[in-house]
Amino acid sequence: FLQTSRPTGARRLPSATPPRVRCGRCWLSAGSDEFPAEKALIKELNNPNIFLPDELYSQYPAHLHIDILPRAQGHGHGRKLIATMLKALAELGVPGLHLGMQTSNTNAFGFYSHLGFSKFCETSYGDTIMAIKTA
């Protein structure tokens, strides 16, 4: 997970100190040139342009994150979980659901397409956003 704050018990940093981002158990400093990938990540996390288009949130406001262990894949669990989620969202009046996946994951793309998801857009950081209406 990513968290932008300071570590527990850490002293308050002076305002001139670059922001730090927690990435799992590590804290990364935005001011360091030693780790360019991490510096780019911190920049993106603090840049509102990484958020997806407003149309996505208005049409598909719910977000799904699902991970099925490889040994549990192919038994219908993912399909059942998503069907249950879509039904519950529809009952609550939520118009749609979106998710992000790595564009290179063709198996996931096929799975979500088979369930009725369609490609909404691709992000600048290599993900495909898939979306589906709940009703």
Side-chain angles (χ1 to χ4, degrees), residues 4 13-14 18 24 26 35 37 40-42 49-50 60 62 64 69 73-74 79 85 87 99-100 106 108 111 134:
T4 57
L13 300 173
C26 301
F35 303 102
L41 174 63
I42 291 168
N49 293 332
I50 68 163
Y60 308 96
L64 172 69
L69 293 173
Q73 293 176 7
R79 180 181 43 78
M85 171 70 88
K87 182 179 180 215
L99 60 88
T106 56
F111 171 73
T134 58

Side-chain angles (χ1 to χ4, degrees), residues 63-82:
H63 175 80
L64 172 69
H65 183 94
I66 184 170
D67 288 312
I68 305 290
L69 293 173
R71 66 177 179 264
Q73 293 176 7
H75 302 286
H77 303 305
R79 180 181 43 78
K80 290 175 189 172
L81 284 167
I82 292 172

Side-chain angles (χ1 to χ4, degrees), residues 18-89:
R20 294 171 9 129
V21 172
R22 182 175 178 174
C23 188
R25 293 184 178 173
C26 301
W27 285 88
L28 308 171
S29 172
S32 172
D33 288 328
E34 187 176 352
F35 303 102
E38 289 82 357
K39 188 173 182 178
L41 174 63
I42 291 168
K43 182 179 177 183
E44 279 199 31
L45 288 173
N46 291 293
N47 179 350
N49 293 332
I50 68 163
F51 297 112
L52 298 168
D54 288 340
E55 304 85 54
L56 176 69
Y57 298 115
S58 62
Q59 296 174 34
Y60 308 96
H63 175 80
L64 172 69
H65 183 94
I66 184 170
D67 288 312
I68 305 290
L69 293 173
R71 66 177 179 264
Q73 293 176 7
H75 302 286
H77 303 305
R79 180 181 43 78
K80 290 175 189 172
L81 284 167
I82 292 172
T84 300
M85 171 70 88
L86 290 171
K87 182 179 180 215
L89 291 170

